[in-house]
Structures are given as C-alpha cells and as structure tokens.
Amino acid sequence: ASEGILGWPGPKSHSTEQLKNGALSSLSSASANITWAIVPSAAQDGQALQPNTEVSHSASELILVEEEMTDTEDNEEEDLGVMDDQRSVILHLISQLKLGMDLTRVVLPTFILEKRSLLEMYANFMAHPDLFLSIAAGATPEERIICFVEYYLTAFHEGRKGAVAKKPYNPIIGETFHCSWDVPKDKVKAFRTNGASTVSKDPTKELGQDQSTCYKLRFVAEQVSHHPPVSCFYCECKEKKMCVNAHVWTKSKFMGMSIGVSMVGEGVLYLMEHEEEYVFTLPSAYARSILTIPWVELGGKVNINCARTGYSATVTFHTKPFYGGKVHRVTAEVKHNPTNTIVCKAQGEWNGTLEFTYSNGETKVIDTSKLPVIRKKIRPIAKQGPLESRHLWQHVTNSLKEGNIDAATEHKHRLEERQRAEERQRVALTTPWKPKYFAKEGDGWLYLNPLWKTH
C-alpha cells in the first residue's frame, strides 16, 4: 500500500498512516500543490519522498491557507432530553462504574457525543482572536497580563457550545486539526480602548475582509499519545510576534451523578517582542445530572504566571454549592508579586457578564454572549488528509446529524478498532509512535517549528 505523509517540514515522520479506500480521492486535488507527498511502500529502502524543498520553510505555509474557507458549521447541539432507551443505557453504564473510577478507557454511548473532535474544541477557545491578539498591544507588563486574563475568561463560553453537556470525540492518535482566523486589524486594540471591541459589529462587513487589513492567526492541534490521551495545540500570529503552545491530558472520573474531567498539563503564551512567557493551566469540567438533562460546569483554581515581570493571576471557577448559589461563577485577581499588590479583580459568569475592577478604580464590563465571534477558516473535507479531524470523523458526524445513532456507533467503533490494531502492531514491532508536529520535552510537548525558533 502506498503511504502518505503530510508535507510539513520537520523531522521525517515514520508514523505514516495507511491510506484507506476513498482517501486517495482527496489527494488528487491537493497533490498538485504538494500538500501531500505520496511515499513509496516502506519496503523500498524506507526513503520518504520529502516535499519540494523550494517551499518556504515556515511549517504552517504548507497546509495551504488559500484553500481555507470560512467555517459554516454551526456546531449548535440540540438539547438532550434523554430518551427512555438512552436512559437505560446510561443506567446500565453507571451500574458498572465505581465512585472515583477512571473513565479514560470506558467507551461511552454514542448519543452523548458532540459533533466535533476534542482537538476542534480547543480551536474554538480562540473564537475571540481579537482579544487574544490585543494582549501583545498592552503597553506595560501590567496591561498585558490583565489583557491575558480578559481573553482567558472569555475563551470558554464558545469552546463549550450549548447548555447541554455533550462529549467531543476522543481524538485518535495521530489525528490533527488545522484552521486559521483573519482578524481585522482595527479590532485589535490596546488595553484601555478595548471597551470598544465589545460592541457587536456589523456582520455584513465581515465577509469581504481584505487580507492586508487583517492579521493571520494559525492553529494546529495533534493527538500525540493514546494512553494517557495527550492533545497538543499550537497557535501563532507572525505579525504580532506571539504564539501559544499547550499540551493537555484529560483524566475523567466517575462521581455518582456527575462525571469530572480534569485537564492535566499547561500552556505557555510567548510574546516575543517583550520576551515574556506566560504559563497557564486549565480548569476541570464537570458533567452534572447525567441521568436527566446533563449540563457542564467548570471548576477549580487556575494560575497564570509570568516569571519575568513578576505578575501572576489566579482564576477560580466556582462550582455551584448544593443549596442556593449561582452557576458558572468565576472570580479572578491579578497580582504584582514583588510588591504584593492586587492590580485587577474580576467576577461574574464565564458564559455571561464579567466585571473587571482595576487598581485605579476604573471598571469595565464584558458580556461574553454579545462578543462578536470571528469564525475560523478551515479547508473543505475533500482537501483534508485522512487523519484530519473532520475528514476522519465525517461518517460519525453525518450519522449523528441524521440521527442514525447505530451507524454513528458503527463508524466510531471502526475507528477505535483500527487504532487498537495499529497500537498492537507498534507494540509487536517495538516502534513507538512519532508525532508529526510536536516533540516531547521533559514532561511537556513542544511544537517542532515554533515562532521563537524562527525569529
């Protein structure tokens, strides 16, 4: 069988994926512009045909950005009024679980799946790229960390679409997701004037964005490990000289009437112009009332820290108390550690209204539900490789859209079986999996061609 590798420069990957029937059709259109290089079968001295070296060596160039189109998926999940037959499946599942049990290897019923991969959910955390790019526009270290906290607090409501708790697909090892955003330059503002960007803008103007008036923000995510399930993502804007690199390992636990998912790992935001690195963690998520209409809440304390400037922030996602109390509450404070002064406090709901109070007495309110969302751009499925999320899961997604749970389950089962078979083969041949875009460093994973290396 001929094998395909995605032609992004970087260490040559030995983990080529067998092209399944039907995958070849997606190659013909793209092979003309060397996004794909077809590799001779491994028997022929194992030499991979490297893509044409004339191509610009910035890795992200080779996933052809000009093929990306504005994403039209609405991703709205219809409410799960759990049907009786579904409830009996969940009850049966629950009857076999013990409190505190790790759910990583438990296969959950297909009807609770959301129609996107976890890798794509991470991309949706960037739904307000204008706020993200504004971080670099802050004039002082204090402004920059406050901007980061403002961006961070508004990132979750779009990543967690819909009130209902559904679970994104577990990415299979080697799965990747690519997208980008065109961010109008006039939307990226320095900190104090930022209030203006919370006004909803005229959506009709958004379509004909002229490239020269936009910053380009690029995103790539990859599933680098199966046990434990580690996802990595990397996002960069060359013009703003900023990028973020993160690795997250999800650990789920059964807690009776709810399921807790902790996000182990961390991300680092690099601002090259200021030589600053901000290390941050992610909150835990809980699926509550799993027998009736499940809903999601975030919980736990998160830290954001910049060693160079001495600023740090703590963000606390409060879970609803048993009696009374509000849902989705979040509080935050930004502190200058050397002087032990609190320079900003925030409170509100991560999917509602957030109020920020600064040390000079000024306040600002951000209503996350009114923030304009800039849609990501993604290549059509026909131009994606077999291991890209939407291409890989397309049959599961289509079956779920049609409400055909049995077909969705069958397609999902095939993908999981294929992953297990390949895992057994690797164990037998003692060949460890080699990711395409990330390399393990210490406890974490780093993108192979990050902006700070090319600068």
Side-chain angles (χ1 to χ4, degrees), residues 148-393:
F148 189 177
V149 172
E150 290 184 1
Y151 157 72
Y152 187 93
L153 289 178
T154 57
F156 292 94
H157 79 105
E158 191 63 25
R160 275 272 19 119
K161 270 283 219 234
V164 176
K166 285 197 171 183
K167 185 184 164 306
Y169 309 138
N170 277 340
I172 74 165
I173 195 164
E175 181 181 329
T176 60
F177 183 81
H178 302 270
C179 65
S180 69
W181 293 264
D182 287 335
V183 187
K185 290 183 178 174
D186 60 352
K187 294 279 174 276
V188 176
K189 300 188 176 65
F191 169 69
R192 291 296 175 200
T193 55
N194 223 350
S197 70
T198 56
V199 182
S200 191
K201 57 180 181 292
D202 177 4
T204 51
K205 290 191 182 131
E206 209 168 77
L207 295 168
Q209 283 300 348
D210 169 23
Q211 295 304 305
S212 60
T213 61
C214 289
Y215 293 117
K216 189 72 163 169
L217 185 64
R218 294 202 169 116
F219 178 95
V220 56
E222 178 176 20
Q223 192 70 4
V224 294
S225 161
H226 182 41
H227 289 304
V230 182
S231 311
C232 294
F233 62 87
Y234 172 82
C235 190
E236 71 174 28
C237 175
K238 283 201 173 68
E239 297 155 287
K240 298 294 281 177
K241 297 191 175 58
M242 63 190 295
C243 63
V244 68
N245 185 99
H247 61 277
V248 188
W249 164 32
T250 53
K251 225 173 155 177
S252 37
K253 197 166 78 173
F254 177 59
M255 301 158 63
M257 284 296 99
S258 58
I259 288 171
V261 181
S262 50
M263 309 277 231
V264 188
E266 63 178 30
V268 184
L269 167 70
Y270 299 84
L271 301 181
M272 258 71 79
E273 285 196 322
H274 308 289
E275 296 180 8
E276 291 167 1
E277 294 179 15
Y278 296 80
V279 181
F280 61 94
T281 52
L282 292 164
S284 297
Y286 299 90
R288 304 293 193 197
S289 40
I290 48 184
L291 271 182
T292 51
I293 294 181
W295 55 284
V296 166
E297 74 171 335
L298 300 178
K301 196 174 259 200
V302 169
N303 294 305
I304 298 170
N305 198 21
C306 180
R308 184 184 169 97
T309 63
Y311 281 94
S312 68
T314 15
V315 178
T316 310
F317 292 88
H318 302 269
T319 50
K320 182 183 180 307
F322 196 71
Y323 290 110
K326 277 186 163 166
V327 285
H328 308 313
R329 225 163 57 77
V330 65
T331 54
E333 58 179 42
V334 181
K335 194 169 164 188
H336 183 240
N337 299 321
T339 57
N340 208 12
T341 36
I342 290 170
V343 296
C344 171
K345 281 188 163 185
Q347 58 159 352
E349 287 106 47
W350 56 266
N351 56 0
T353 309
L354 295 159
E355 185 182 357
F356 295 84
T357 311
Y358 310 109
S359 50
N360 61 2
E362 282 180 31
T363 59
K364 169 162 136 187
V365 174
I366 296 179
D367 183 346
T368 58
S369 63
K370 293 199 171 75
L371 281 178
V373 168
I374 296 181
R375 283 188 169 261
K376 59 182 180 290
K377 298 178 87 167
I378 182 167
R379 291 169 8 274
I381 285 180
K383 295 195 171 169
Q384 292 185 16
L387 279 181
E388 290 188 62
S389 297
R390 289 210 184 159
H391 189 290
L392 185 74
W393 293 98

